[in-house]
Coordinates of all heavy atoms in Angstrom, one line a residue:
E136 N 20.1 -21.8 15.4 CA 19.3 -22.9 15.0 C 19.5 -23.3 13.6 O 19.2 -24.4 13.2 CB 17.8 -22.5 15.2 CG 17.4 -22.4 16.6 CD 15.9 -22.0 16.8 OE1 15.3 -21.6 15.8 OE2 15.5 -22.0 18.0
V137 N 20.0 -22.4 12.7 CA 20.2 -22.7 11.3 C 21.7 -22.8 11.1 O 22.2 -22.7 9.9 CB 19.6 -21.6 10.3 CG1 18.1 -21.7 10.4 CG2 20.1 -20.2 10.6
G138 N 22.5 -22.9 12.2 CA 23.9 -23.2 12.0 C 24.8 -22.0 11.8 O 25.9 -22.1 11.3
I139 N 24.3 -20.7 12.1 CA 25.1 -19.5 11.9 C 25.3 -18.9 13.2 O 24.3 -18.5 13.9 CB 24.3 -18.6 10.9 CG1 24.1 -19.2 9.5 CG2 25.1 -17.3 10.7 CD1 23.2 -18.5 8.6
D140 N 26.6 -18.7 13.6 CA 26.9 -18.1 14.9 C 27.2 -16.6 14.7 O 28.1 -16.2 14.1 CB 28.2 -18.8 15.4 CG 28.6 -18.4 16.8 OD1 27.9 -17.6 17.4 OD2 29.7 -18.8 17.2
I141 N 26.3 -15.8 15.4 CA 26.5 -14.4 15.4 C 26.8 -13.9 16.8 O 26.8 -12.7 17.1 CB 25.4 -13.6 14.8 CG1 24.0 -13.8 15.5 CG2 25.2 -13.9 13.3 CD1 22.9 -12.9 15.1
A142 N 27.0 -14.8 17.7 CA 27.2 -14.5 19.2 C 28.4 -13.6 19.4 O 28.4 -12.8 20.4 CB 27.3 -15.8 20.0
D143 N 29.4 -13.6 18.6 CA 30.6 -12.8 18.8 C 30.5 -11.4 18.2 O 31.4 -10.6 18.3 CB 31.8 -13.6 18.3 CG 31.8 -13.7 16.7 OD1 30.7 -13.6 16.1 OD2 32.9 -14.0 16.1
Q144 N 29.4 -11.1 17.6 CA 29.2 -9.8 16.9 C 28.9 -8.7 17.9 O 28.3 -9.0 19.0 CB 28.2 -9.9 15.8 CG 28.5 -10.8 14.7 CD 29.8 -10.4 14.0 OE1 29.9 -9.3 13.5 NE2 30.7 -11.4 13.9
Q145 N 29.3 -7.5 17.7 CA 29.0 -6.4 18.5 C 28.3 -5.3 17.6 O 28.7 -5.0 16.5 CB 30.2 -5.8 19.1 CG 30.9 -6.6 20.2 CD 29.9 -6.8 21.4 OE1 29.4 -5.8 21.9 NE2 29.8 -8.0 21.9
P146 N 27.3 -4.6 18.2 CA 26.7 -3.5 17.4 C 27.7 -2.4 17.2 O 28.5 -2.1 18.0 CB 25.6 -3.0 18.3 CG 25.2 -4.2 19.1 CD 26.5 -4.9 19.4
K147 N 27.7 -1.9 15.9 CA 28.6 -0.8 15.5 C 27.8 0.4 15.1 O 26.8 0.3 14.5 CB 29.5 -1.3 14.4 CG 30.4 -2.5 14.8 CD 31.0 -3.2 13.6 CE 30.2 -4.2 12.9 NZ 29.6 -5.2 13.7
V148 N 28.4 1.6 15.3 CA 27.8 2.8 14.8 C 28.0 3.0 13.3 O 29.0 2.7 12.7 CB 28.4 4.0 15.6 CG1 29.8 4.3 15.2 CG2 27.5 5.3 15.4
L149 N 26.9 3.5 12.7 CA 26.9 3.8 11.3 C 27.8 5.0 11.0 O 27.7 6.0 11.7 CB 25.5 4.1 10.8 CG 25.3 4.5 9.4 CD1 25.7 3.4 8.4 CD2 23.9 4.9 9.1
T150 N 28.7 4.8 10.1 CA 29.6 5.9 9.7 C 29.5 6.2 8.2 O 29.1 5.3 7.4 CB 31.1 5.6 10.0 OG1 31.5 4.5 9.2 CG2 31.3 5.3 11.5
T151 N 29.8 7.4 7.8 CA 29.8 7.7 6.4 C 30.9 6.9 5.7 O 30.7 6.6 4.5 CB 30.1 9.3 6.2 OG1 31.3 9.6 6.8 CG2 28.9 10.1 6.7
D152 N 32.0 6.6 6.3 CA 33.0 5.8 5.7 C 32.5 4.4 5.3 O 32.8 3.9 4.3 CB 34.2 5.6 6.7 CG 35.1 6.9 6.8 OD1 34.9 7.8 6.0 OD2 35.9 6.9 7.7
A153 N 31.7 3.8 6.2 CA 31.1 2.5 5.9 C 30.2 2.6 4.7 O 30.2 1.7 3.9 CB 30.3 2.0 7.1
V154 N 29.4 3.6 4.6 CA 28.5 3.8 3.5 C 29.3 4.0 2.2 O 29.1 3.4 1.2 CB 27.5 4.9 3.7 CG1 26.6 5.2 2.5 CG2 26.6 4.7 4.9
E155 N 30.3 4.9 2.3 CA 31.1 5.2 1.1 C 31.9 3.9 0.6 O 32.1 3.8 -0.6 CB 32.1 6.3 1.4 CG 31.5 7.6 1.5 CD 32.5 8.7 1.9 OE1 33.4 8.5 2.7 OE2 32.4 9.8 1.3
A156 N 32.2 3.0 1.5 CA 33.0 1.9 1.1 C 32.2 0.7 0.6 O 32.7 -0.3 0.2 CB 33.9 1.4 2.3
S157 N 30.8 0.9 0.6 CA 29.9 -0.2 0.3 C 29.3 0.0 -1.1 O 29.0 1.1 -1.5 CB 28.8 -0.4 1.3 OG 29.4 -0.6 2.6
D158 N 29.1 -1.1 -1.9 CA 28.5 -1.0 -3.2 C 27.0 -1.0 -3.0 O 26.3 -0.3 -3.8 CB 28.9 -2.2 -4.0 CG 30.4 -2.3 -4.3 OD1 30.9 -1.2 -4.6 OD2 31.0 -3.3 -4.0
V159 N 26.5 -1.8 -2.1 CA 25.0 -1.9 -1.8 C 24.8 -1.6 -0.3 O 25.5 -2.1 0.5 CB 24.5 -3.3 -2.1 CG1 23.0 -3.4 -1.9 CG2 24.9 -3.7 -3.6
V160 N 23.8 -0.7 -0.1 CA 23.4 -0.3 1.3 C 22.0 -0.8 1.5 O 21.1 -0.3 0.7 CB 23.6 1.2 1.6 CG1 23.1 1.5 3.0 CG2 25.0 1.6 1.3
I161 N 21.8 -1.7 2.4 CA 20.4 -2.2 2.7 C 20.0 -1.7 4.0 O 20.6 -2.0 5.1 CB 20.4 -3.7 2.6 CG1 20.8 -4.2 1.2 CG2 19.0 -4.3 3.0 CD1 21.0 -5.7 1.0
T162 N 18.9 -0.9 4.0 CA 18.4 -0.3 5.2 C 17.2 -1.1 5.7 O 16.5 -1.7 4.9 CB 18.0 1.2 5.0 OG1 17.0 1.2 4.0 CG2 19.2 2.0 4.6
M163 N 17.0 -1.2 7.0 CA 16.0 -1.9 7.6 C 15.4 -1.1 8.7 O 15.5 -1.4 9.9 CB 16.5 -3.2 8.2 CG 17.2 -4.1 7.2 SD 18.1 -5.4 8.0 CE 18.8 -6.2 6.6
G164 N 14.7 0.0 8.4 CA 14.0 0.8 9.4 C 14.9 1.9 10.0 O 14.6 2.3 11.1
C165 N 16.0 2.3 9.4 CA 16.8 3.4 10.1 C 16.3 4.8 9.7 O 16.9 5.7 10.2 CB 18.3 3.2 9.8 SG 18.8 3.5 8.1
G166 N 15.4 4.9 8.8 CA 14.8 6.2 8.5 C 15.8 7.2 7.9 O 16.7 6.9 7.2
D167 N 15.6 8.4 8.4 CA 16.4 9.5 7.9 C 17.9 9.5 8.4 O 18.7 10.3 8.0 CB 15.8 10.9 8.3 CG 14.5 11.1 7.6 OD1 14.3 10.5 6.5 OD2 13.7 11.9 8.1
A168 N 18.2 8.6 9.3 CA 19.5 8.6 9.9 C 20.5 8.0 8.9 O 21.7 8.1 9.1 CB 19.5 7.8 11.2
C169 N 20.1 7.3 7.9 CA 21.0 6.7 6.9 C 21.5 7.7 5.9 O 20.7 8.3 5.1 CB 20.3 5.5 6.2 SG 19.8 4.2 7.3
P170 N 22.8 8.0 5.8 CA 23.3 8.9 4.8 C 23.1 8.3 3.4 O 23.2 7.1 3.2 CB 24.8 9.1 5.2 CG 25.1 7.8 6.0 CD 23.8 7.4 6.6
V171 N 22.9 9.2 2.5 CA 22.8 8.8 1.1 C 23.9 9.4 0.2 O 24.1 10.6 0.3 CB 21.4 9.3 0.5 CG1 21.2 8.9 -0.9 CG2 20.3 8.6 1.3
F172 N 24.6 8.6 -0.5 CA 25.6 9.0 -1.4 C 25.3 8.7 -2.8 O 24.8 7.6 -3.1 CB 27.0 8.4 -1.0 CG 27.5 8.8 0.3 CD1 27.2 8.1 1.5 CD2 28.2 10.0 0.4 CE1 27.7 8.5 2.7 CE2 28.7 10.4 1.7 CZ 28.5 9.6 2.8
P173 N 25.5 9.6 -3.7 CA 25.3 9.3 -5.2 C 26.1 8.1 -5.6 O 27.3 7.9 -5.2 CB 25.8 10.6 -5.9 CG 25.8 11.6 -4.8 CD 26.1 10.9 -3.5
G174 N 25.6 7.3 -6.5 CA 26.3 6.2 -7.1 C 26.2 4.9 -6.3 O 26.7 3.9 -6.7
K175 N 25.6 5.0 -5.1 CA 25.4 3.8 -4.3 C 24.1 3.2 -4.6 O 23.1 3.9 -4.9 CB 25.5 4.1 -2.8 CG 26.8 4.7 -2.3 CD 27.9 3.7 -2.5 CE 29.2 4.3 -2.1 NZ 30.4 3.5 -2.5
R176 N 24.0 1.9 -4.5 CA 22.7 1.2 -4.7 C 22.1 1.0 -3.3 O 22.7 0.5 -2.4 CB 22.9 -0.2 -5.3 CG 21.6 -0.9 -5.5 CD 21.9 -2.2 -6.3 NE 20.7 -3.0 -6.3 CZ 20.6 -4.3 -6.4 NH1 21.8 -5.0 -6.5 NH2 19.5 -4.9 -6.4
Y177 N 20.9 1.5 -3.1 CA 20.1 1.4 -1.9 C 18.9 0.5 -2.0 O 18.2 0.6 -3.0 CB 19.7 2.8 -1.4 CG 20.8 3.7 -1.0 CD1 21.5 4.5 -1.9 CD2 21.2 3.8 0.3 CE1 22.6 5.3 -1.5 CE2 22.3 4.5 0.7 CZ 23.0 5.3 -0.2 OH 24.0 6.1 0.2
L178 N 18.8 -0.3 -1.0 CA 17.5 -1.1 -1.0 C 17.0 -1.0 0.4 O 17.7 -0.9 1.4 CB 17.9 -2.6 -1.2 CG 18.5 -3.0 -2.5 CD1 19.0 -4.5 -2.5 CD2 17.5 -2.8 -3.6
D179 N 15.7 -0.9 0.6 CA 15.0 -0.8 1.9 C 14.2 -2.1 2.1 O 13.3 -2.4 1.3 CB 14.1 0.4 2.0 CG 13.6 0.5 3.4 OD1 14.4 0.5 4.4 OD2 12.4 0.6 3.6
W180 N 14.6 -2.9 3.0 CA 13.9 -4.1 3.3 C 13.0 -3.9 4.5 O 13.5 -3.7 5.7 CB 14.9 -5.3 3.7 CG 15.7 -5.8 2.5 CD1 15.6 -5.4 1.2 CD2 16.7 -6.8 2.6 NE1 16.5 -6.1 0.5 CE2 17.2 -7.0 1.3 CE3 17.2 -7.6 3.6 CZ2 18.2 -7.9 1.0 CZ3 18.2 -8.5 3.3 CH2 18.7 -8.6 2.0
A181 N 11.7 -3.9 4.3 CA 10.7 -3.6 5.3 C 10.5 -5.0 6.1 O 10.0 -5.9 5.5 CB 9.4 -3.2 4.7
L182 N 11.1 -5.0 7.3 CA 11.1 -6.2 8.1 C 10.6 -5.9 9.5 O 10.9 -4.8 10.0 CB 12.5 -6.9 8.2 CG 13.1 -7.4 6.8 CD1 14.6 -7.5 7.0 CD2 12.5 -8.7 6.4
E183 N 9.9 -6.8 10.1 CA 9.5 -6.5 11.5 C 10.8 -6.4 12.4 O 11.8 -7.1 12.1 CB 8.7 -7.7 12.0 CG 7.3 -7.8 11.5 CD 6.5 -8.9 12.1 OE1 6.4 -8.9 13.4 OE2 6.1 -9.8 11.4

Side-chain angles (χ1 to χ4, degrees):
E136 290 176 353
V137 295
I139 299 172
D140 183 6
I141 62 169
D143 64 340
Q144 298 300 306
Q145 289 295 316
K147 295 168 275 312
V148 68
L149 176 64
T150 65
T151 55
D152 288 346
V154 177
E155 287 178 322
S157 301
D158 300 312
V159 180
V160 179
I161 299 175
T162 59
M163 305 171 182
C165 70
D167 294 336
C169 296
V171 175
F172 291 95
K175 299 294 174 190
R176 179 175 174 208
Y177 290 87
L178 300 172
D179 185 52
W180 289 358
L182 298 160
E183 288 185 57

